[in-house]
Amino acid sequence: MNDVQRRIVDVLLALGEGEVTTYGDVAEVAGYPKRARFVGHVLAHSGELAVDVPWWRVVNSAGRLVPGHEAEQAQLLRAEGVSVAAGHVRNAPVGRFSRPPATPRRQP
DNA sequence: TATATGACGTTGC
DNA sequence: AGCAACGCCATAT
């Protein structure tokens, strides 16, 4: 595993219950702002890793759930207190987890 | 080496 | 809200 994957996994493992973040935020917090796609790639193959990665706490910038795992992800998120409806989260669409608002994003 | 492909993001319409 | 076009970047072939 290279350094980038390591940083990304570390950020993912820092997520707690009820905390939802996005691929872009994970990449940015990990220190690689342009690697949102790679975050998805790491999660897609997280089963090959020796660690249990909370993939269900990651959605895209639109708050959309993971394609192909929407039902399972919705159930897991709801079990943690996150409101999910019509395949997208309601509470924390672009929620960062524990980061000062250095770069403000769009407000609903 | 070159091309295609994504669990993505932003912008413009 | 939804869609299309473009940019990005590691992997796969």
Side-chain angles (χ1 to χ4, degrees):
Chain A
M1 177 185 309
N2 62 41
D3 227 29
V4 187
Q5 295 181 5
R6 175 66 211 283
R7 299 281 299 272
I8 291 175
V9 170
D10 278 348
V11 172
L12 291 172
L13 294 179
L15 291 170
E17 275 197 9
E19 289 180 317
V20 178
T21 187
T22 70
Y23 298 92
D25 272 353
V26 171
E28 184 178 343
V29 171
Y32 305 91
K34 308 284 187 73
R35 276 137 177 104
R37 303 194 75 142
F38 188 57
V39 174
H41 190 269
V42 170
L43 285 172
H45 298 273
S46 60
E48 306 170 3
L49 300 179
V51 289
D52 188 11
V53 182
W55 58 267
W56 61 91
R57 302 203 256 247
V58 183
V59 297
N60 63 18
S61 67
R64 209 74 192 173
L65 299 186
V66 174
H69 300 270
E70 302 182 0
E72 183 184 4
Q73 186 173 17
Q75 184 175 348
L76 287 165
L77 287 176
R78 272 193 279 258
E80 298 183 350
V82 179
S83 304
V84 182
H88 67 83
V89 300
R90 305 179 76 180
N91 278 350
V94 270
R96 25 202 161 310
F97 37 99
S98 55
R99 180 170 58 107
T103 58
R105 286 179 184 262
R106 59 179 180 83
Q107 302 293 1

